[in-house]
Amino acid sequence: MKSNGAIIYHVITNFTELGGAESALIRVINNSQSTPFKVISLMAKSLDMVDRITHPNCEVIALGSNNALSLLRTAFKLAANINRDAPLKVYSWMYHANAISAMASLLSFKKAHLVWGVRHSLDDYSGEKRSTKLAIQISKLLNFVPDKVIYCSQKAQMQHEQFGYNSPCKSVYVPNGYAFHDFQAKNYNNTPIVLGAAGRFHEAKDYRTLFNVVKRLKAQRLSVDLRVCGRGMNEQNKELIALLDSLGLSLDDVTLLGEVNDMPSFYQGIDVFILSSKTEGFPNVLAEAASYGCAVFSTDVGDAPYIINNSDHIAPVKDDAKLAGCIARFISLPPEVKEKVALKTTMHVRTNFSIETIARRFLEV
C-alpha cells in the first residue's frame, strides 16, 4: 500500500478474536472512510476479523509473534514498517501494543505521532497476568514517547495518571462509539424476566457474583431466567460447571449459550443485562445492551456508572447481595415504570455514544 505520507497505523496485540478493543478499532476504521489505514497485529490475524473491516483502503498485516521474546522482536519489525510507510500517526491499542509501539518509535528514523490507547482499568492490578504487569511497567518507563494517551474510561484515566503511566497533560478521554439501530421498548408485562450476561469465562468477569445474584433472586421466588454468552460459557467447560455445582445451581437455572455471533438477537431476547466484573474500562456490553432497550445493572467498575446514568443500578464489586437487591427492586416496579427507567438509560447511551461523533474525535487526537 502506498501511503503518500497520509496513512494511519493501528497497532494491536492480536487480531484473531473479537473483543472490546478489536470491536472499537473496527468501528473507528469503518466510520472513517476517507483515510487510508494499516492494521498491524503483533501476533496473528484471522480472515473472520479482516472481513469485519469494510473500509475500502485498509490493509491488515500480522508480524507473527507467538511468545514473549518474539513479541519484543516485533518492535524491530514495526520500526521497519514505520520507516517504509512513514505513517502520519500510529495508534496503539492496549498495554502490550503500547509498549512495543513506543520501542518501535525509538528504533525508527522516520518519526510518526504516537498515540497510546488504554481500554482497561487498574481496579485489580494485583490480579493481572505477569506479562500484562510487565507491559504496564515498560510503558511507564517509556511514557515520554507517546504524544497522547487516549482513555475510553474516565475512571481508568484517573487511575493511570495516579499510577504514573503517563502525565495528565497527555491524557485524552474518548469514550467508545456505536452504530445505533432501531430498537423496541421492552414489554415488562411478560414473565419470567429474562436476565442476560455476556463475556468470556475469566476471573475478571466474576461469574461467581453473577450466579450468586441469580441464586438470591430465585430464593425470593422471583420469576427470572438467566442466559449467558461468551467464550467458554458452555456446558463443556468443566470449571464453569463445577462453579455452578458449588453454588447449588444447575443448567436448569442458567442457560449457557457459548460464543454468540448474533449479539443483536441476544440483546433483543433479554429484558435485563447484568455486568458482574471486578475490573473494566469502558464496558461495551452495557452500552450495547442499553441501546437495545435493556435495563442494565453493574458493579462499580470503570465507566459503568457513567454509561448507566442511574446510581440505583450500581452495586459495589463482589457484593452479590447489593446487586441482587438492585435488580429485585427494579423487578418489583410496575411494568410501565420499569419501561420508563430502562428508556432513560437507553436514550442517554444513544445520545452520547454515536460512532460518527466518537470516530471523528478519536482521529482528531
Side-chain angles (χ1 to χ4, degrees):
M1 176 187 293
K2 295 295 184 182
S3 69
N4 297 319
I7 191 171
I8 291 177
Y9 276 14
H10 287 277
V11 182
I12 194 162
T13 308
N14 201 6
F15 202 62
T16 57
E17 294 179 331
L18 191 66
E22 293 80 7
S23 297
L25 183 156
I26 291 167
R27 287 195 298 269
V28 166
I29 289 175
N30 288 346
N31 285 273
S32 308
Q33 298 291 327
S34 62
T35 307
F37 292 102
K38 179 181 281 189
V39 176
I40 301 180
S41 170
L42 302 180
M43 298 176 72
K45 63 179 181 178
S46 70
L47 182 60
D48 173 65
M49 291 295 290
V50 174
D51 286 345
R52 292 175 185 271
I53 296 177
T54 59
H55 191 284
N57 193 5
C58 180
E59 180 185 6
V60 182
I61 67 170
L63 300 185
S65 169
N66 56 17
N67 57 48
L69 183 59
S70 64
L71 188 62
L72 289 173
R73 286 200 295 265
T74 60
F76 292 91
K77 296 180 181 179
L78 179 57
N81 276 270
I82 292 172
N83 288 335
R84 183 181 65 248
D85 292 337
L88 182 65
K89 306 176 190 175
V90 177
Y91 290 99
S92 55
W93 295 72
M94 294 296 286
Y95 299 127
H96 295 83
N98 290 348
I100 297 301
S101 295
M103 293 180 195
S105 180
L106 293 175
L107 291 167
S108 61
F109 57 84
K110 288 190 178 178
K111 300 302 178 185
H113 292 293
L114 175 61
V115 181
W116 280 353
V118 177
R119 312 188 57 78
H120 195 63
S121 73
L122 295 175
D123 291 323
D124 188 32
Y125 177 77
S126 61
E128 298 291 352
K129 293 179 181 177
R130 185 180 301 174
S131 68
T132 301
K133 290 180 182 177
L134 179 60
I136 292 172
Q137 293 296 339
I138 291 174
S139 297
K140 188 176 176 180
L141 291 172
L142 298 176
N143 65 11
F144 62 93
V145 180
D147 296 278
K148 295 291 181 183
V149 182
I150 292 179
Y151 289 94
C152 67
S153 161
Q154 294 173 326
K155 183 178 180 181
Q157 176 182 332
M158 178 188 67
Q159 289 174 333
H160 283 77
E161 288 171 357
Q162 291 175 348
F163 187 77
Y165 191 80
N166 64 275
S167 60
C169 65
K170 290 189 175 185
S171 296
V172 182
Y173 170 62
V174 182
N176 288 344
Y178 305 89
F180 294 124
H181 39 75
D182 293 334
F183 80 100
Q184 231 174 355
K186 301 292 182 181
N187 181 0
Y188 287 103
N189 283 301
N190 297 332
T191 56
I193 294 287
V194 182
L195 312 175
R200 61 197 169 113
F201 184 70
H202 189 277
E203 180 67 22
K205 302 302 179 184
D206 195 8
Y207 279 113
R208 177 179 292 276
T209 289
L210 174 68
F211 296 146
N212 272 325
V213 165
V214 173
K215 186 177 179 180
R216 287 179 180 276
L217 295 176
K218 287 182 174 290
Q220 297 178 50
R221 300 192 178 280
L222 295 173
S223 181
V224 296
D225 283 342
L226 175 65
R227 301 176 186 173
V228 188
C229 67
R231 192 161 66 248
M233 301 305 295
N234 53 53
E235 297 177 26
Q236 289 71 47
N237 185 335
K238 293 180 180 179
E239 187 179 349
L240 172 58
I241 300 302
L243 174 60
L244 288 171
D245 288 342
S246 71
L247 299 175
L249 296 172
S250 70
L251 294 177
D252 293 330
D253 301 302
V254 181
T255 301
L256 301 174
L257 300 173
E259 289 194 80
V260 170
N261 291 322
D262 186 3
M263 287 304 292
S265 292
F266 174 78
Y267 293 128
Q268 289 163 356
I270 64 175
D271 304 305
V272 171
F273 186 89
I274 308 169
L275 184 74
S276 56
S277 295
K278 292 190 291 188
T279 177
E280 292 282 350
F282 187 100
N284 283 316
V285 286
L286 286 180
E288 290 169 357
S291 77
Y292 281 93
C294 300
V296 288
F297 294 81
S298 178
T299 47
D300 188 3
V301 289
D303 274 16
Y306 174 49
I307 296 167
I308 294 176
N309 197 35
N310 183 346
S311 59
D312 292 338
H313 287 210
I314 300 291
V317 170
K318 296 185 181 179
D319 196 334
D320 54 88
K322 289 275 181 67
L323 188 54
C326 292
I327 298 167
R329 284 191 293 276
F330 174 80
I331 292 174
S332 71
L333 297 172
E336 63 275 12
V337 178
K338 285 201 280 279
E339 182 178 329
K340 184 178 179 181
V341 169
L343 186 61
K344 181 182 176 183
T345 297
T346 296
M347 297 315 297
H348 168 72
V349 165
R350 294 172 73 93
T351 300
N352 290 285
F353 307 122
S354 120
I355 184 58
E356 293 81 8
T357 300
I358 298 305
R360 185 173 64 253
R361 285 174 58 187
F362 192 98
L363 293 175
E364 283 173 353
V365 173

